[in-house]
Each structure stands twice: as C-alpha cells, then as structure tokens.
Amino acid sequence: MFSKFTSILQHAVEALAPSLPLQEDFVYHWKAITHYYIETSDDKAPVTDTNIPSHLEQMLDILTQEERERESGETGPCMEYLLHHKILETLYTLGKADCPPGMKQQVLTFYTKLLAHIRQPLLPHINVHRPVQKLIRLCGAVLAAPTENEEIQFLCIVCAKLKQDPYLVNFFLENKAKRPEAKSPGAAESTKDKQPVPDTGQPLKNEEAEPPEEPQAAATASCPTSSCNNNNSNNYNLVTSLLNLTKSPDGRIVVKACEGLMLLVSLPEPSAARCLTENTELCELLTDRLVGFYKALPQSMDPLDIETVESVNWGLDVYNLKEDAAIFAGKRALISFLSWLDYCDQLIKEAQKSAAAVMAKAVRERFFVSVMEPQLMQTSEVGILTSTALLNRIIRQVTSQALLKEMVYFLLGEDKEPETLASIAQTPLRHRLIEHCDHLSDEISIMTLRLFEQLIQKPSQHVLHSLVLRNLEERNYLENKPQEEREPLENGQPHDAVDLEEDPLFGDDLSPDSRLSGSDWFSSSPQPSPDHTKSEGKTEVHKIVNSFLCLVPDEAKSSYQVEGTGYDTYLRDAHRQFKDYCGVCLRWDWRGHPKPFEKCNLDNPFFEGHFLKVLFDRMGRILDQPYDVNLQVTAVLSKLSLFPHPHMHEYLLDPYINLAPGCRSLFSVIVRVVGDLMLRIQRIPDFTPKLLLVRKRLLGLEPEGINIDHMTLLEGVIVLEEFCKELAAIAFVKYHAAASSSP
C-alpha cells in the first residue's frame, strides 16, 4: 500500500514539474561526456570502452520524450540547451578528431537519430545546419571506411529532410571562396574546429537560444551577392559525399547512395538543380559508369539473349555468377549494364526539369555519340548485329522524356524540313540505320526493322515527323487537280465484299464499354470527307476495306480453308492497338482533317522519304524475300498505318487517292506485287494445294515433310494475304472511330 502511494506521489510531482528533471538529466549526461575529455589522459581506448555511447543515447531519449510531452512545434528547454550551447558543433569536432577511437561513428549515429526522431524542423537553425554541413564533408572522404554504414544513414536522413522541405537545400549550397564558418561573427568556431575543446555546458551571461535562420538570409550571410547568384562558386557537398559513396565496394552502400541522389535531383529549387549539374560530378558518374558497363560486354552476343534477358530494375538485381555464365556468356555484364541504364533513366525521370535536360544531354554526348555511334557505323556484320540488338533493348527500356528526346535526336537528327534525295545522307547515323533495313544480311535487316518498330511506338512526336510526316505535310503525293475528280476502282464494289456493318464486333449495337468512345482521344482521327453524307461515308468505308480484302486473287488465298485465321481477329487487334496509339498521340498537335488542298504546295516534287522508300522497296520484293523479313516489314508498315494522323491515313490506307505522276503509295506498291503474282501463279503447277500445305506447316498443323518448290514465293503470298486483311481491319477501325466521334 505504501509503495503504491509513493508511486502516485512520484507521478504527481513529475506532472507538476516535468521539464526540470528532464533538463537536469540532459545537462548531467552532456557534462559527463565533457568531463571525460577533461579528466581522461588515455585517448587510445575505444569509445565503446567508455560511457559516452550510453550518455549520447540517454540524451536522445530525453529529447524525444521532451518533444512527446510538449505541444507540436514548441521547443523545450533540453532542445534549447542543445542549440544554445552548440552541442552539435562540439560533437562534430570530436567526431572529426575521432577521439576516442570510434567517436566519429557515435557522432554520426547521434546526428542521424536526432534528425530522424525529432519532428520539429531542426535544419533551419544555424547551430544545426552548420555542423550538419561540416559533418557531410567528412562523409565519403575515405573509401571503404569503417564508418561507411553510419555515413550513408546520416546522408540519407538529410536527403529525406530536404525532400520534405526543399527550400532548406539552400543551406547546403556552400560558397567555395568563403565557407560560412571561416568568416562569421562566431570566429571561435573555427578554433573549435581545430582543437577539440568541448563546451562544458556552463551558461554565459544573457545568452538565449538562437532562433531558426531563414534560408535566404543564411545564403546571403554565407556568401556575397555576386557569388550567390553565380552557382559556379558553390559546392554541393551533400551530392559530392554521396557520389564518393557510390564507389564503395559494398553494394548496399552503393544502392543507398544512389537512392540519396535520386531524392536530391528531384528537389524543385532551380539553384540546387544548377549546382547539381554544373558543380558536381554527377553527370560524369552516370556516363562514365554507363560507358564502363557497356565496354565490359562481349563483342559478340546472340540478339535473342539480349532481347529476352529478364527485365532489370536498378538495385534489385540478384545474381548467381555460375548460373548466369551457364545461361550465356556475358549475361552478368549485360544485367549490370541494363541495371545502370535503368538507374540513369529513373534518375533523369525524377529530376527537376532543367537538371534532367542537362543529364540527358550528357548521356547523349558521352555515351551515345562517343561509344555507341562508332559501334553502329562499323562494317563488321557481327558487330553491327550485336550493337543494333543492344540499341533496340536500350530503346525499349528508356521511359524518361528527357532521355528519350536526346536518344531520338541522336538516332534521327533534329531536322524538320522535308527530305530530298540529296539530303538523306546529311545525318550519317540515321542514313546508315535506314540502309540497314535493306542489308544483305537478313539478320541485320530484321534486327534494324525491329529497332524502328520499337522506336515508332515510343511517345515521341519527332520520331514520326522525322521518318514520315515531314514528307507528307504538303500532300504533294496527290495529283494537282480537285479532290472530287477521283475515280473509283474499275469494278466498284467487288463481288466478295464483306458486309462490315453486320460484324458483331463493330455493329451499331456496340456496348459503351467495348465501343471506341470518347472524343478526347479521337480528336486526331481521320474524319469523313465533308462533301459526303454519313451513308455515303459508310459506302466509302466498304469500298476501301474491300479494296484491301480483294487485292489478293482467290487462287492465291488460303486462310479461308484454315480455322482461326479469319478477318475478325485482325479487327479485334486493330481496335485495341488503335486505342493505345490514340492515347500516345493525345498530347501531340495533330489536326483532325488533312491540310486543305488549296493551301498545299503541290508544285514541289514529292519524295516519300528515305524510311518509306526502303520499306516500299522491301514490300515490293515480298514474293522473293525470306518469311521472317516479310513479317517484320509488314509489322512496321501496319504500325505506321495505325497512327491517327490524317496524312498518314490518306497516304497509307486510302486506295482512291489520285497519285501525282511518278509517286507511289502503300496501296499502289501492293497492286504491283499482285500484278507480278498473277503472272507467276500461272507458271507454278498445283499452286493452291501447295499454298495451303505451306500455310498449315507455318501454323504447325502439318509436320515438316519433303521440300516444296517456290517456298519463298508461297510464304510471301501468305504474308501478303494476311497483311491485306490487317490493313483492311485498321482502315475500318479508324473510319468507325472517326464516325463515332463526329457530331
């Protein structure tokens, strides 16, 4: 009973005067630390053999308890004591001297826990951010130091605090010419910095806790106006220390340092962004390491290995050297390269806009131009194949807009004017890559076509403008006479026309969920001609679709004899893909209608551009090319046809346009191929049964047997038929989308 009474009495006393015991306790622990230095002569004993770690831990507990017992934002007497007596400055001095041995580790831990556990903002106080800045300079100074783990924890908590209050970063942009502590009213601090004489905690006359310092005032106090405005005179020690720790042999330290840099680059303060890119070695770190990983790759690698290696996220790649080597040589090196590329990409994606642009340009100049371009321009077929496969993987992986922009400019150049035959070689890399689409090596052709297929699907307007649109802008592929003088196909509606309005997928009874609805992403879809009524528009759609479906003669068709190869499959795919492509183009300034005919400059000679020229040339040889090449050529053309730009739609998907003399369109190229096919069919006995057998073999429905004559031709005919069905489906989906979105 008596003990219970004593306990209640003790709680009552604590409730009446809670601050006094805490403050006395705090001062006691601090004096115990300072007295150690006054009384102890043996400074060789490690700090763990002393009571210093325990006293520091108790001080942290007291500060945390004090804040918990007070109203939010109110500074208690223990915290005032810590700020007023510049305890952090003293601890920094002791940590720098590492006296006793291991003290630096204890100081780093104290700083880290203080910043992590105390909720009130501490960094604005001059007696906090100044010693924090000094301690930052000690971090990363020694490679593989025993305190690396504590250093990175401390730096990361500072980064996290700056992420919460980005304006505080101005405290950490330190003037090179004149450090704040070197020439300030508290000149005694510099003396303290040189000799570890701790604050004994004795109060001085009329002293008060120093108030928080405003960032702008701090910046002005620490450097002259001219220096502050010129970021070239500032050090960003926090970044420098993190960069040093990225060189640690400990992978965990490297990942944490990279995470810290990720936080810092995202800070919105323009002064910090400029200092980051101009006065630190961040750009050099990113590019040098990227170049190093790339150069460590084997000179020759199987493109399939490059394409199929698992997705890589930086910092998360767990690997087994023996297993990786057993799968394919160079897998570990490839994963290391792709992992660092992912980090560069994510860093640029998160970075403040101006910093992102500078970092992306550095990657372009120091990696793409300096290292990759010579690889892509070489004459060795093995080297070309490997470097093109790697570039394809890089294109696939890049997601940041700034890096994508620089990569596209590197590959295609920045020209925006229409191409001419004389100008296509002015951008050597672009010219070489497009020429590789028609290389003597089928492997190189296929890989380069895949590269362009990947490229045109990236959210970059410049890709389509450079490769296609700049040459279609004036519509000078059209004959210079009024639009209404078009002539229909000879037979009008072909005999085996498909009634698309009866198709269950695209009938008028489409549900709202499955219909291509929403005018926001249809605004750039091709619209029906204004001089046609809606019913005439439907008729025109039927004609266009059936023009493609009936291009291949009946004797050259085989899909109708094999189940599951119908036209409706292409309709569903086109429906989904067109919706995706419209989403990509949503932010682009594409008008919904073609440029008015009377405003087009039709006098300039038309050139389809280097890219379409190579694609059309290859399409014209579809009956004489390997099956895999044909699949890739048609894949690129079908993806171009899906884009909702009126000129691309007109040039690639309208069979009825009146072409200017000497011009060709995708439809006209296919017509010539079909004309050649008609002549060749007559010279091949049992053409249709052979065609059906080849189709079944390609689908795996028939085992491989005896060789069939004219195999390349037969495979080409099958690809041609499927491609025409795909184009018909794309044309219908686009017209249906335009009709749905029009008022």
Side-chain angles (χ1 to χ4, degrees):
M1 184 72 180
F2 179 74
S3 61
K4 187 176 181 183
F5 175 76
T6 308
S7 174
I8 293 170
L9 186 63
Q10 186 178 346
H11 282 298
V13 171
E14 287 177 0
L16 289 171
S19 61
L20 188 60
L22 281 180
Q23 186 179 0
E24 285 181 0
D25 208 12
F26 186 80
V27 173
Y28 163 76
H29 288 295
W30 176 239
K31 284 184 177 179
I33 293 172
T34 58
H35 287 161
Y36 168 84
Y37 289 94
I38 295 169
E39 296 167 1
T40 304
S41 56
D42 180 17
D43 58 356
K44 297 285 190 287
V47 71
T48 49
D49 290 353
T50 72
N51 290 325
I52 291 175
S54 173
H55 288 305
L56 288 172
E57 193 66 39
Q58 290 295 321
M59 288 169 67
L60 278 169
D61 290 343
I62 291 168
L63 290 169
T64 307
Q65 182 185 342
E66 179 185 70
E67 184 178 58
R68 200 166 49 241
E69 293 174 355
R70 292 186 165 268
E71 290 184 15
S72 176
E74 186 182 347
T75 304
C78 298
M79 181 60 74
E80 285 183 0
Y81 186 91
L82 177 134
L83 297 171
H84 179 70
H85 290 281
K86 301 180 181 176
I87 288 176
L88 293 180
E89 285 278 2
T90 305
L91 285 174
Y92 157 75
T93 306
L94 298 173
K96 183 182 179 185
D98 200 29
C99 176
M103 189 61 186
K104 181 181 176 184
Q105 193 172 28
Q106 296 298 322
V107 171
L108 285 162
T109 301
F110 183 85
Y111 272 64
T112 303
K113 289 182 177 178
L114 180 72
L115 292 173
H117 295 166
I118 301 300
R119 294 190 301 275
Q120 64 174 293
L122 293 178
L123 286 176
H125 291 271
I126 191 169
N127 287 337
V128 177
H129 73 73
R130 194 170 280 176
V132 165
Q133 172 74 291
K134 292 177 185 177
L135 193 58
I136 286 169
R137 288 202 298 270
L138 294 185
C139 296
V142 179
L143 191 63
T147 55
E148 266 193 344
N149 192 52
E150 288 75 21
E151 289 174 16
I152 195 62
Q153 296 294 338
F154 164 65
L155 294 175
C156 282
I157 193 63
V158 174
C159 292
K161 290 294 178 185
L162 295 185
K163 183 68 175 174
Q164 288 174 7
D165 295 299
Y167 78 102
L168 294 175
V169 75
N170 290 295
F171 290 131
F172 296 91
L173 306 180
E174 186 182 13
N175 185 248
K176 287 179 183 177
K178 186 161 88 173
R179 284 185 178 164
E181 70 272 13
K183 304 217 174 159
S184 64
E189 293 170 58
S190 58
T191 312
K192 265 189 208 169
D193 206 15
K194 290 174 186 171
Q195 45 184 352
V197 179
D199 182 348
T200 60
Q202 298 303 317
L204 300 175
K205 256 186 181 178
N206 301 323
E207 268 192 336
E208 292 179 7
E210 295 190 41
E213 186 182 15
E214 290 297 322
Q216 292 301 326
T220 308
S222 64
C223 64
T225 306
S226 59
S227 300
C228 284
N229 292 336
N230 179 9
N231 285 290
N232 288 324
S233 64
N234 284 342
N235 274 330
Y236 202 163
N237 291 313
L238 186 52
V239 174
T240 303
S241 294
L242 286 169
L243 289 175
N244 288 338
L245 287 171
T246 63
K247 299 165 188 170
S248 168
D250 187 337
R252 293 167 302 174
I253 301 290
V254 174
V255 170
K256 294 291 286 182
C258 288
E259 287 172 352
L261 290 170
M262 189 83 78
L263 289 174
L264 292 182
V265 299
S266 67
L267 299 180
E269 294 289 312
S271 55
R274 282 194 301 274
C275 196
L276 184 85
T277 53
E278 293 174 13
N279 302 330
T280 75
E281 295 182 355
L282 178 61
C283 291
E284 288 79 357
L285 167 86
L286 295 179
T287 54
D288 290 352
R289 202 163 285 188
L290 197 61
V291 168
F293 283 132
Y294 185 85
K295 288 184 173 177
L297 296 171
Q299 290 294 308
S300 171
M301 298 177 74
D302 187 335
L304 190 61
D305 289 336
I306 296 170
E307 193 173 336
T308 57
V309 72
E310 58 269 22
S311 296
V312 178
N313 295 318
W314 73 274
L316 299 178
D317 53 318
V318 180
Y319 58 90
N320 181 305
L321 287 174
K322 286 184 179 177
E323 285 181 12
D324 289 345
I327 293 170
F328 68 87
K331 183 183 177 186
R332 167 72 344 232
L334 178 60
I335 288 177
S336 296
F337 169 72
L338 293 175
S339 177
W340 190 252
L341 174 69
D342 182 59
Y343 177 69
C344 295
D345 183 47
Q346 293 303 317
L347 192 75
I348 293 170
K349 193 174 187 176
E350 292 294 323
Q352 190 261 7
K353 195 173 180 181
S354 63
V358 173
M359 288 189 284
K361 279 179 182 169
V363 173
R364 174 185 173 181
E365 290 163 9
R366 296 165 64 99
F367 172 65
F368 283 121
V369 174
S370 299
V371 179
M372 283 221 73
E373 187 167 354
Q375 294 289 307
L376 295 164
M377 297 290 282
Q378 65 182 302
T379 54
S380 161
E381 289 192 3
V382 172
I384 293 170
L385 191 60
T386 301
S387 57
T388 306
L390 285 166
L391 178 59
N392 191 19
R393 183 64 195 251
I394 292 168
I395 292 169
R396 195 171 97 198
Q397 195 162 312
V398 167
T399 58
S400 69
Q401 280 298 318
L403 187 54
L404 176 61
K405 175 185 170 184
E406 293 300 329
M407 183 174 66
V408 167
Y409 283 164
F410 158 71
L411 293 171
L412 304 179
E414 301 182 37
D415 294 337
K416 291 181 166 55
E417 295 300 312
E419 293 176 82
T420 63
L421 272 170
S423 70
I424 59 174
Q426 287 179 359
T427 310
L429 180 60
R430 179 185 189 275
H431 181 264
R432 182 68 63 89
L433 287 173
I434 293 174
E435 286 292 308
H436 284 174
C437 293
D438 199 2
H439 199 275
L440 288 172
S441 162
D442 291 332
E443 273 191 297
I444 290 175
S445 293
I446 291 168
M447 185 48 65
T448 312
L449 285 164
R450 278 185 189 161
L451 184 149
F452 279 105
E453 183 185 9
Q454 194 74 242
L455 195 59
I456 61 179
Q457 293 177 84
K458 302 301 283 188
S460 169
Q461 190 173 358
H462 184 71
V463 171
L464 289 170
H465 185 81
S466 175
L467 293 175
V468 179
L469 283 175
R470 57 174 166 162
N471 304 306
L472 307 181
E473 208 162 341
E474 296 301 326
R475 299 174 73 197
N476 46 356
Y477 45 83
L478 296 172
E479 192 173 359
N480 195 356
K481 62 179 181 179
Q483 185 90 354
E484 53 270 13
E485 290 184 23
R486 292 181 183 183
E487 294 179 13
L489 290 181
E490 286 181 19
N491 299 328
Q493 187 96 345
H495 69 279
D496 56 349
V498 177
D499 190 359
L500 294 165
E501 295 304 317
E502 296 301 316
D503 191 292
L505 183 65
F506 285 99
D508 289 331
D509 59 342
L510 276 173
S511 68
D513 292 336
S514 62
R515 195 187 202 101
L516 290 171
S517 58
S519 57
D520 54 341
W521 57 269
F522 281 136
S523 58
S524 50
S525 304
Q527 304 290 332
S529 303
D531 53 340
H532 290 301
T533 64
K534 209 164 191 183
S535 60
E536 286 173 338
K538 283 186 179 180
T539 306
E540 189 173 324
V541 176
H542 278 277
K543 287 182 179 179
I544 289 172
V545 169
N546 284 294
S547 295
F548 283 109
L549 287 178
C550 304
L551 258 177
V552 178
D554 289 346
E555 56 268 35
K557 289 181 178 177
S558 55
S559 61
Y560 66 93
Q561 299 186 59
V562 179
E563 192 176 345
T565 57
Y567 167 67
D568 52 342
T569 304
Y570 287 106
L571 279 173
R572 290 185 177 86
D573 288 344
H575 173 96
R576 175 182 51 80
Q577 290 174 3
F578 180 63
K579 187 173 182 178
D580 292 343
Y581 278 49
C582 286
V584 170
C585 305
L586 188 61
R587 296 182 301 276
W588 300 349
D589 185 23
W590 281 2
R591 54 182 176 271
H593 294 280
K595 186 176 180 179
F597 201 71
E598 60 276 7
K599 292 184 180 178
C600 294
N601 183 1
L602 301 172
D603 295 329
N604 289 341
F606 174 68
F607 175 50
E608 60 221 7
H610 193 194
F611 187 57
L612 283 183
K613 178 185 182 303
V614 169
L615 289 178
F616 284 177
D617 288 348
R618 295 227 73 149
M619 190 66 210
R621 303 198 300 270
I622 193 170
L623 303 179
D624 303 297
Q625 290 174 157
Y627 179 71
D628 290 338
V629 172
N630 287 335
L631 286 180
Q632 201 56 54
V633 171
T634 53
V636 175
L637 284 167
S638 66
K639 283 182 172 54
L640 288 174
S641 303
L642 277 161
F643 280 97
H645 191 284
H647 294 176
M648 289 174 74
H649 178 86
E650 178 179 64
Y651 185 62
L652 296 174
L653 288 177
D654 190 346
Y656 295 107
I657 58 173
N658 290 323
L659 291 169
C663 296
R664 57 181 178 170
S665 66
L666 179 56
F667 188 80
S668 72
V669 170
I670 298 173
V671 166
R672 289 190 187 97
V673 172
V674 170
D676 180 35
L677 174 62
M678 300 281 279
L679 296 173
R680 293 165 75 168
I681 285 176
Q682 298 167 11
R683 298 196 292 266
I684 301 174
D686 301 321
F687 179 83
T688 305
K690 287 178 179 175
L691 186 66
L692 182 59
L693 179 59
V694 170
R695 177 180 280 274
K696 287 182 176 179
R697 283 187 181 179
L698 288 171
L699 292 171
L701 301 175
E702 287 282 343
E704 292 294 327
I706 58 170
N707 288 334
I708 301 174
D709 294 336
H710 310 287
M711 177 65 84
T712 301
L713 172 67
L714 294 167
E715 289 176 339
V717 172
I718 291 167
V719 175
L720 181 64
E721 182 189 354
E722 296 303 310
F723 184 50
C724 288
K725 283 156 55 178
E726 187 174 13
L727 291 177
I730 293 169
F732 179 72
V733 166
K734 291 174 80 173
Y735 269 101
H736 191 277
S740 300
S741 62
S742 60

